[in-house]
Amino acid sequence: MDLLQNVVTIVLFFLILGTLVVVHELGHFVTARLANVRVLEFGIGFPPRAKVIRSSGETLYTLNWLPIGGFVKLEGEDGDDTDDPRSFVNARLPVRLVILLAGVAMNLLLALAIFLLIAMLATPLYGLRFPQVEPGSPADRAGLEGGDSIISINGTAYDMFGRYVNQVDPITDLRAHAGETITLGVHRKDGRFEELTVTLRPRSEVTETRGPLGVGPSSTEPVLIDYYGRYTGHDPATSARIAVEETGAWFGLIIEGLSNVVRSFVTNPTAPPSGVTGPIGIAQQIGQAFWSFGPIITLYVAGILSANLALVNALPFPPLDGGRMLMIVLKSIFGRRISVQAERVTYFVGFVFLMAFLVWVTWFDIIRGGAT
Protein backbone atom coordinates (compact mmCIF):
# COMPACT_ATOMS: atom_id res chain seq x y z
CA MET A 1 0.00 0.00 0.00
CA ASP A 2 2.86 2.37 0.81
CA LEU A 3 4.31 1.77 -2.66
CA LEU A 4 0.95 2.53 -4.30
CA GLN A 5 0.55 5.71 -2.23
CA ASN A 6 4.06 6.85 -3.15
CA VAL A 7 3.44 6.23 -6.85
CA VAL A 8 0.10 8.09 -6.77
CA THR A 9 1.73 10.96 -4.83
CA ILE A 10 4.50 11.29 -7.42
CA VAL A 11 1.97 11.23 -10.27
CA LEU A 12 -0.16 13.89 -8.53
CA PHE A 13 2.92 16.05 -7.94
CA PHE A 14 3.92 16.04 -11.61
CA LEU A 15 0.31 16.41 -12.77
CA ILE A 16 -0.41 19.43 -10.55
CA LEU A 17 2.94 21.19 -10.96
CA GLY A 18 3.03 20.42 -14.68
CA THR A 19 -0.49 21.79 -15.16
CA LEU A 20 0.35 25.00 -13.29
CA VAL A 21 3.45 25.60 -15.40
CA VAL A 22 1.64 24.79 -18.66
CA VAL A 23 -1.10 27.28 -17.71
CA HIS A 24 1.62 29.85 -17.01
CA GLU A 25 3.24 29.25 -20.41
CA LEU A 26 -0.16 29.29 -22.09
CA GLY A 27 -0.47 32.90 -20.92
CA HIS A 28 2.76 33.79 -22.74
CA PHE A 29 1.67 31.82 -25.80
CA VAL A 30 -1.81 33.33 -26.18
CA THR A 31 -0.70 36.94 -25.64
CA ALA A 32 2.21 36.50 -28.06
CA ARG A 33 -0.14 35.16 -30.73
CA LEU A 34 -2.64 37.98 -30.10
CA ALA A 35 0.20 40.51 -30.39
CA ASN A 36 1.37 38.87 -33.65
CA VAL A 37 4.73 37.89 -32.16
CA ARG A 38 6.15 34.78 -33.82
CA VAL A 39 5.97 31.67 -31.61
CA LEU A 40 8.53 29.08 -32.68
CA GLU A 41 7.62 26.30 -30.26
CA PHE A 42 5.10 25.45 -27.58
CA GLY A 43 6.33 22.49 -25.56
CA ILE A 44 4.63 20.39 -22.90
CA GLY A 45 7.33 19.10 -20.57
CA PHE A 46 11.02 19.88 -20.96
CA PRO A 47 13.50 18.42 -23.45
CA PRO A 48 14.67 15.96 -24.57
CA ARG A 49 11.86 15.91 -27.08
CA ALA A 50 9.63 12.83 -27.12
CA LYS A 51 7.22 13.63 -29.93
CA VAL A 52 6.19 16.38 -32.31
CA ILE A 53 2.43 16.79 -31.84
CA ARG A 54 1.95 19.19 -34.75
CA SER A 55 4.41 20.80 -37.11
CA SER A 56 2.12 22.56 -39.58
CA GLY A 57 2.22 26.36 -39.55
CA GLU A 58 4.96 28.47 -37.98
CA THR A 59 4.67 26.98 -34.46
CA LEU A 60 6.04 23.59 -33.49
CA TYR A 61 3.97 21.80 -30.84
CA THR A 62 6.00 19.23 -28.93
CA LEU A 63 5.72 16.68 -26.15
CA ASN A 64 8.90 16.31 -24.09
CA TRP A 65 10.21 13.69 -21.72
CA LEU A 66 10.60 15.66 -18.48
CA PRO A 67 7.04 16.11 -17.08
CA ILE A 68 7.72 19.28 -15.11
CA GLY A 69 5.71 21.89 -16.96
CA GLY A 70 6.27 23.39 -20.36
CA PHE A 71 7.84 26.24 -22.29
CA VAL A 72 7.23 28.76 -25.05
CA LYS A 73 9.99 29.74 -27.47
CA LEU A 74 9.53 33.13 -29.15
CA GLU A 75 11.45 34.51 -32.10
CA GLY A 76 14.08 36.95 -30.77
CA GLU A 77 13.36 36.33 -27.08
CA ASP A 78 17.09 35.99 -26.35
CA GLY A 79 17.62 39.62 -27.31
CA ASP A 80 19.40 38.99 -30.63
CA ASP A 81 18.88 41.65 -33.26
CA THR A 82 16.75 40.38 -36.13
CA ASP A 83 15.06 41.83 -39.18
CA ASP A 84 11.87 39.89 -38.46
CA PRO A 85 9.24 42.55 -37.63
CA ARG A 86 7.30 39.88 -35.70
CA SER A 87 10.16 38.98 -33.36
CA PHE A 88 9.83 39.54 -29.63
CA VAL A 89 12.82 41.89 -29.50
CA ASN A 90 11.25 44.16 -32.15
CA ALA A 91 7.86 44.38 -30.46
CA ARG A 92 6.96 47.60 -28.65
CA LEU A 93 7.92 47.79 -24.97
CA PRO A 94 4.33 47.57 -23.63
CA VAL A 95 3.69 44.49 -25.80
CA ARG A 96 6.78 42.70 -24.48
CA LEU A 97 5.88 43.53 -20.90
CA VAL A 98 2.31 42.27 -21.36
CA ILE A 99 3.56 38.99 -22.87
CA LEU A 100 5.86 38.43 -19.89
CA LEU A 101 3.22 39.48 -17.38
CA ALA A 102 0.62 37.15 -18.91
CA GLY A 103 2.12 34.04 -17.32
CA VAL A 104 1.85 35.58 -13.85
CA ALA A 105 -1.70 36.72 -14.62
CA MET A 106 -2.74 33.22 -15.73
CA ASN A 107 -1.52 31.63 -12.48
CA LEU A 108 -3.24 34.35 -10.48
CA LEU A 109 -6.50 33.81 -12.36
CA LEU A 110 -6.18 30.04 -11.92
CA ALA A 111 -5.75 30.43 -8.14
CA LEU A 112 -8.81 32.69 -8.02
CA ALA A 113 -10.82 30.24 -10.13
CA ILE A 114 -9.89 27.28 -7.92
CA PHE A 115 -10.81 29.09 -4.71
CA LEU A 116 -14.02 30.39 -6.32
CA LEU A 117 -15.16 26.92 -7.42
CA ILE A 118 -14.36 25.36 -4.05
CA ALA A 119 -16.20 28.14 -2.20
CA MET A 120 -19.24 27.97 -4.48
CA LEU A 121 -19.55 24.23 -5.11
CA ALA A 122 -17.66 22.18 -2.52
CA THR A 123 -16.41 23.99 0.57
CA PRO A 124 -15.14 21.26 2.91
CA LEU A 125 -16.74 21.05 6.33
CA TYR A 126 -14.33 20.41 9.16
CA GLY A 127 -14.30 19.22 12.72
CA LEU A 128 -11.83 19.16 15.58
CA ARG A 129 -10.21 15.79 16.20
CA PHE A 130 -8.98 15.33 19.76
CA PRO A 131 -6.63 12.55 20.92
CA GLN A 132 -7.90 12.18 24.48
CA VAL A 133 -10.91 12.72 26.78
CA GLU A 134 -10.56 13.88 30.36
CA PRO A 135 -11.90 11.19 32.79
CA GLY A 136 -15.11 12.26 34.51
CA SER A 137 -15.59 15.23 32.16
CA PRO A 138 -18.82 16.06 30.29
CA ALA A 139 -17.22 14.53 27.18
CA ASP A 140 -16.49 11.30 29.06
CA ARG A 141 -20.03 11.09 30.40
CA ALA A 142 -21.45 11.66 26.91
CA GLY A 143 -19.42 8.78 25.49
CA LEU A 144 -16.82 10.69 23.45
CA GLU A 145 -13.52 8.89 22.83
CA GLY A 146 -10.03 9.92 21.79
CA GLY A 147 -9.80 10.09 17.99
CA ASP A 148 -13.38 11.33 17.55
CA SER A 149 -14.11 14.70 15.92
CA ILE A 150 -16.69 17.35 16.84
CA ILE A 151 -18.22 18.46 13.52
CA SER A 152 -21.32 20.39 14.61
CA ILE A 153 -22.83 22.06 17.67
CA ASN A 154 -26.63 22.33 17.85
CA GLY A 155 -26.77 21.54 14.13
CA THR A 156 -24.26 24.23 13.13
CA ALA A 157 -21.47 22.85 10.93
CA TYR A 158 -18.15 24.61 10.27
CA ASP A 159 -16.65 25.19 6.84
CA MET A 160 -13.07 26.06 5.96
CA PHE A 161 -14.05 29.54 4.70
CA GLY A 162 -16.18 30.32 7.73
CA ARG A 163 -13.90 33.16 8.83
CA TYR A 164 -15.02 35.12 5.75
CA VAL A 165 -18.72 34.83 6.65
CA ASN A 166 -18.41 35.71 10.36
CA GLN A 167 -18.60 32.12 11.50
CA VAL A 168 -16.98 31.21 14.82
CA ASP A 169 -14.84 28.11 15.22
CA PRO A 170 -15.93 25.06 17.28
CA ILE A 171 -13.75 25.90 20.29
CA THR A 172 -15.15 29.43 20.54
CA ASP A 173 -18.66 28.05 20.05
CA LEU A 174 -18.21 25.50 22.86
CA ARG A 175 -17.04 28.19 25.26
CA ALA A 176 -20.00 30.39 24.29
CA HIS A 177 -22.37 27.57 25.37
CA ALA A 178 -20.65 26.85 28.71
CA GLY A 179 -23.17 25.58 31.27
CA GLU A 180 -25.75 24.68 28.64
CA THR A 181 -27.02 21.34 27.35
CA ILE A 182 -26.13 21.05 23.68
CA THR A 183 -26.23 18.51 20.83
CA LEU A 184 -22.88 17.53 19.35
CA GLY A 185 -22.48 16.09 15.87
CA VAL A 186 -19.62 13.61 16.20
CA HIS A 187 -17.54 11.98 13.51
CA ARG A 188 -16.36 8.78 15.15
CA LYS A 189 -12.83 7.52 14.57
CA ASP A 190 -14.28 4.49 12.79
CA GLY A 191 -16.13 6.75 10.30
CA ARG A 192 -19.62 6.65 11.85
CA PHE A 193 -21.65 9.81 12.48
CA GLU A 194 -23.58 10.23 15.75
CA GLU A 195 -25.41 12.98 17.61
CA LEU A 196 -24.76 13.14 21.36
CA THR A 197 -26.38 15.31 24.02
CA VAL A 198 -23.98 16.76 26.59
CA THR A 199 -24.23 19.29 29.42
CA LEU A 200 -21.11 21.48 29.43
CA ARG A 201 -19.28 22.70 32.50
CA PRO A 202 -20.51 26.00 33.92
CA ARG A 203 -18.53 29.14 33.15
CA SER A 204 -17.21 29.26 36.72
CA GLU A 205 -15.29 26.01 36.09
CA VAL A 206 -13.89 26.99 32.69
CA THR A 207 -10.34 28.37 32.50
CA GLU A 208 -7.74 28.91 29.80
CA THR A 209 -6.48 25.35 30.21
CA ARG A 210 -9.77 23.68 31.22
CA GLY A 211 -12.49 23.77 28.58
CA PRO A 212 -16.24 23.31 29.00
CA LEU A 213 -16.27 19.87 27.32
CA GLY A 214 -13.14 18.17 28.64
CA VAL A 215 -11.32 17.11 25.49
CA GLY A 216 -7.87 18.15 24.41
CA PRO A 217 -4.37 17.30 23.27
CA SER A 218 -2.17 14.62 24.73
CA SER A 219 1.51 14.98 25.50
CA THR A 220 2.34 13.80 21.98
CA GLU A 221 -0.71 14.69 19.84
CA PRO A 222 -2.41 18.06 19.32
CA VAL A 223 -6.04 18.81 18.57
CA LEU A 224 -6.26 18.69 14.76
CA ILE A 225 -8.57 20.00 12.06
CA ASP A 226 -10.36 17.05 10.50
CA TYR A 227 -11.88 17.37 7.00
CA TYR A 228 -14.30 14.47 6.90
CA GLY A 229 -15.79 14.41 3.39
CA ARG A 230 -18.88 16.62 3.71
CA TYR A 231 -19.28 19.84 1.78
CA THR A 232 -21.32 23.01 1.56
CA GLY A 233 -21.48 25.94 -0.84
CA HIS A 234 -21.76 29.74 -0.81
CA ASP A 235 -23.62 32.07 -3.13
CA PRO A 236 -21.67 33.44 -6.14
CA ALA A 237 -21.08 36.92 -4.67
CA THR A 238 -19.81 35.52 -1.36
CA SER A 239 -17.72 32.94 -3.22
CA ALA A 240 -16.09 35.66 -5.33
CA ARG A 241 -15.21 37.64 -2.20
CA ILE A 242 -13.84 34.51 -0.54
CA ALA A 243 -11.67 33.77 -3.61
CA VAL A 244 -10.19 37.29 -3.64
CA GLU A 245 -9.59 37.39 0.12
CA GLU A 246 -8.18 33.86 0.19
CA THR A 247 -5.73 34.68 -2.62
CA GLY A 248 -4.72 37.90 -0.87
CA ALA A 249 -4.22 36.07 2.41
CA TRP A 250 -1.95 33.51 0.77
CA PHE A 251 -0.01 36.27 -1.00
CA GLY A 252 0.68 37.79 2.41
CA LEU A 253 1.81 34.46 3.86
CA ILE A 254 4.00 33.73 0.82
CA ILE A 255 5.69 37.16 1.02
CA GLU A 256 6.29 36.68 4.74
CA GLY A 257 7.70 33.21 4.10
CA LEU A 258 10.01 34.44 1.33
CA SER A 259 11.37 37.25 3.49
CA ASN A 260 12.02 34.81 6.33
CA VAL A 261 13.80 32.41 3.98
CA VAL A 262 16.03 35.13 2.51
CA ARG A 263 16.88 36.30 6.03
CA SER A 264 17.66 32.73 7.09
CA PHE A 265 19.73 32.09 3.96
CA VAL A 266 21.84 35.20 4.55
CA THR A 267 22.24 35.03 8.33
CA ASN A 268 22.33 31.29 9.04
CA PRO A 269 22.47 29.08 5.91
CA THR A 270 23.00 25.92 7.99
CA ALA A 271 19.63 26.32 9.74
CA PRO A 272 16.54 24.75 8.12
CA PRO A 273 14.32 27.40 6.46
CA SER A 274 10.89 27.84 8.00
CA GLY A 275 7.76 28.35 5.93
CA VAL A 276 9.19 27.09 2.63
CA THR A 277 9.76 23.72 1.01
CA GLY A 278 11.36 22.41 -2.15
CA PRO A 279 9.99 19.87 -4.64
CA ILE A 280 10.21 16.99 -2.16
CA GLY A 281 8.34 18.93 0.50
CA ILE A 282 5.69 20.02 -2.02
CA ALA A 283 5.18 16.42 -3.14
CA GLN A 284 4.80 15.34 0.50
CA GLN A 285 2.22 18.07 1.14
CA ILE A 286 0.23 17.09 -1.96
CA GLY A 287 0.32 13.44 -0.90
CA GLN A 288 -0.75 14.25 2.66
CA ALA A 289 -3.62 16.43 1.42
CA PHE A 290 -4.86 13.73 -0.97
CA TRP A 291 -4.56 10.70 1.28
CA SER A 292 -5.71 12.39 4.49
CA PHE A 293 -8.40 14.79 3.25
CA GLY A 294 -9.33 13.91 -0.33
CA PRO A 295 -9.42 15.59 -3.74
CA ILE A 296 -11.01 18.92 -2.74
CA ILE A 297 -8.27 19.79 -0.25
CA THR A 298 -5.73 18.60 -2.84
CA LEU A 299 -7.29 21.04 -5.32
CA TYR A 300 -7.08 23.74 -2.64
CA VAL A 301 -3.34 23.02 -2.30
CA ALA A 302 -3.05 23.39 -6.08
CA GLY A 303 -4.67 26.83 -5.76
CA ILE A 304 -2.08 27.81 -3.15
CA LEU A 305 0.73 26.58 -5.42
CA SER A 306 -0.69 28.56 -8.35
CA ALA A 307 -0.76 31.75 -6.23
CA ASN A 308 2.77 30.94 -5.12
CA LEU A 309 3.94 30.50 -8.71
CA ALA A 310 2.34 33.80 -9.74
CA LEU A 311 3.96 35.76 -6.94
CA VAL A 312 7.39 34.18 -7.22
CA ASN A 313 7.52 34.72 -11.00
CA ALA A 314 6.64 38.39 -10.52
CA LEU A 315 9.75 38.97 -8.40
CA PRO A 316 12.29 41.28 -10.10
CA PHE A 317 15.00 38.62 -10.12
CA PRO A 318 16.50 37.13 -13.29
CA PRO A 319 15.61 34.84 -14.99
CA LEU A 320 12.08 35.01 -13.55
CA ASP A 321 9.45 36.92 -15.52
CA GLY A 322 9.74 39.88 -13.16
CA GLY A 323 13.51 39.95 -13.68
CA ARG A 324 13.12 39.80 -17.45
CA MET A 325 10.62 42.65 -17.30
CA LEU A 326 13.07 44.68 -15.24
CA MET A 327 15.87 43.98 -17.73
CA ILE A 328 13.69 45.02 -20.67
CA VAL A 329 12.78 48.30 -18.94
CA LEU A 330 16.45 48.99 -18.11
CA LYS A 331 17.48 48.31 -21.70
CA SER A 332 14.80 50.69 -22.95
CA ILE A 333 16.27 53.36 -20.67
CA PHE A 334 19.99 52.76 -21.18
CA GLY A 335 19.86 51.36 -24.71
CA ARG A 336 22.91 49.55 -26.06
CA ARG A 337 24.93 50.30 -22.92
CA ILE A 338 23.46 46.98 -21.75
CA SER A 339 24.71 44.43 -24.28
CA VAL A 340 23.07 41.14 -25.18
CA GLN A 341 26.07 39.37 -23.64
CA ALA A 342 25.63 41.22 -20.35
CA GLU A 343 21.93 40.38 -20.35
CA ARG A 344 22.65 36.69 -20.89
CA VAL A 345 25.30 36.63 -18.16
CA THR A 346 22.79 38.22 -15.77
CA TYR A 347 20.21 35.54 -16.57
CA PHE A 348 22.81 32.78 -16.21
CA VAL A 349 24.03 34.03 -12.83
CA GLY A 350 20.45 34.38 -11.64
CA PHE A 351 19.67 30.85 -12.85
CA VAL A 352 22.69 29.41 -11.03
CA PHE A 353 21.67 31.22 -7.84
CA LEU A 354 18.10 29.92 -8.10
CA MET A 355 19.34 26.36 -8.65
CA ALA A 356 21.66 26.65 -5.64
CA PHE A 357 18.78 27.96 -3.56
CA LEU A 358 16.56 25.09 -4.74
CA VAL A 359 19.24 22.55 -3.81
CA TRP A 360 19.62 24.22 -0.39
CA VAL A 361 15.86 24.02 0.31
CA THR A 362 15.61 20.47 -1.06
CA TRP A 363 18.46 19.33 1.19
CA PHE A 364 16.45 20.33 4.24
CA ASP A 365 13.39 18.58 2.76
CA ILE A 366 15.45 15.38 2.69
CA ILE A 367 16.64 15.92 6.27
CA ARG A 368 13.06 16.48 7.46
CA GLY A 369 11.94 13.35 5.63
CA GLY A 370 14.69 11.32 7.27
CA ALA A 371 13.79 12.70 10.68
CA THR A 372 10.17 11.59 10.36
Side-chain angles (χ1 to χ4, degrees):
M1 186 61 180
D2 287 343
L3 177 60
L4 176 61
Q5 287 188 351
N6 289 335
V7 170
V8 172
T9 295
I10 292 171
V11 171
L12 280 173
F13 169 75
F14 283 116
L15 179 63
I16 290 174
L17 196 63
T19 300
L20 297 183
V21 176
V22 168
V23 167
H24 179 95
E25 296 300 328
L26 193 61
H28 297 316
F29 173 77
V30 171
T31 50
R33 293 292 294 267
L34 291 174
N36 200 31
V37 171
R38 193 182 303 279
V39 181
L40 301 178
E41 184 175 354
F42 181 86
I44 298 176
F46 282 95
R49 183 178 297 166
K51 181 180 180 180
V52 174
I53 301 174
R54 195 179 82 178
S55 59
S56 60
E58 64 183 24
T59 303
L60 193 66
Y61 298 88
T62 62
L63 191 64
N64 300 274
W65 282 112
L66 299 180
I68 48 177
F71 65 93
V72 171
K73 185 176 181 181
L74 306 177
E75 174 72 28
E77 67 176 333
D78 293 330
D80 291 325
D81 291 331
T82 173
D83 294 331
D84 188 347
R86 294 180 56 206
S87 72
F88 178 78
V89 72
N90 289 332
R92 294 182 298 114
L93 176 63
V95 172
R96 285 179 285 163
L97 293 178
V98 168
I99 291 174
L100 291 176
L101 188 61
V104 172
M106 285 293 285
N107 281 128
L108 175 59
L109 290 174
L110 180 59
L112 287 167
I114 289 174
F115 295 145
L116 174 67
L117 290 174
I118 292 175
M120 191 161 55
L121 302 177
T123 300
L125 298 176
Y126 75 92
L128 292 180
R129 186 169 74 248
F130 44 87
Q132 68 179 14
V133 173
E134 179 186 333
S137 66
D140 187 28
R141 291 192 294 271
L144 289 171
E145 300 176 353
D148 293 342
S149 300
I150 299 168
I151 62 175
S152 67
I153 298 175
N154 290 337
T156 299
Y158 305 89
D159 73 68
M160 67 181 296
F161 297 131
R163 61 189 178 278
Y164 298 121
V165 291
N166 299 318
Q167 183 188 78
V168 297
D169 60 88
I171 293 178
T172 302
D173 215 358
L174 282 171
R175 289 182 173 269
H177 288 89
E180 300 176 16
T181 298
I182 60 173
T183 301
L184 295 179
V186 179
H187 185 234
R188 293 292 193 177
K189 57 186 176 183
D190 61 5
R192 294 178 296 114
F193 173 79
E194 291 185 7
E195 287 192 341
L196 302 176
T197 300
V198 56
T199 300
L200 301 177
R201 288 171 176 149
R203 296 183 189 278
S204 59
E205 298 180 13
V206 175
T207 65
E208 286 292 324
T209 58
R210 191 169 190 255
L213 183 59
V215 298
S218 66
S219 58
T220 57
E221 295 180 78
V223 174
L224 298 173
I225 290 178
D226 177 26
Y227 296 100
Y228 55 94
R230 296 190 183 188
Y231 306 95
T232 186
H234 299 277
D235 63 82
T238 301
S239 298
R241 181 169 61 83
I242 288 173
V244 171
E245 293 189 17
E246 188 74 8
T247 303
W250 278 109
F251 267 21
L253 290 174
I254 294 166
I255 291 172
E256 181 181 354
L258 287 173
S259 62
N260 291 337
V261 168
V262 171
R263 190 180 305 112
S264 175
F265 186 73
V266 172
T267 59
N268 190 7
T270 61
S274 61
V276 69
T277 58
I280 294 177
I282 292 173
Q284 290 172 339
Q285 291 172 355
I286 290 173
Q288 182 180 8
F290 182 77
W291 293 110
S292 299
F293 304 122
I296 299 300
I297 296 298
T298 307
L299 183 62
Y300 178 76
V301 172
I304 296 171
L305 292 175
S306 190
N308 198 320
L309 192 59
L311 185 58
V312 169
N313 265 285
L315 296 176
F317 186 87
L320 301 174
D321 289 339
R324 295 183 65 190
M325 293 171 65
L326 177 62
M327 183 63 69
I328 288 174
V329 171
L330 291 177
K331 287 190 71 173
S332 70
I333 296 173
F334 298 105
R336 294 189 177 274
R337 280 176 286 180
I338 300 178
S339 65
V340 174
Q341 289 77 11
E343 182 179 359
R344 289 176 177 172
V345 168
T346 301
Y347 291 148
F348 177 76
V349 172
F351 177 78
V352 170
F353 182 86
L354 285 177
M355 289 301 100
F357 180 77
L358 184 62
V359 169
W360 178 69
V361 173
T362 303
W363 168 249
F364 287 109
D365 282 347
I366 295 173
I367 292 177
R368 292 188 190 103
T372 56

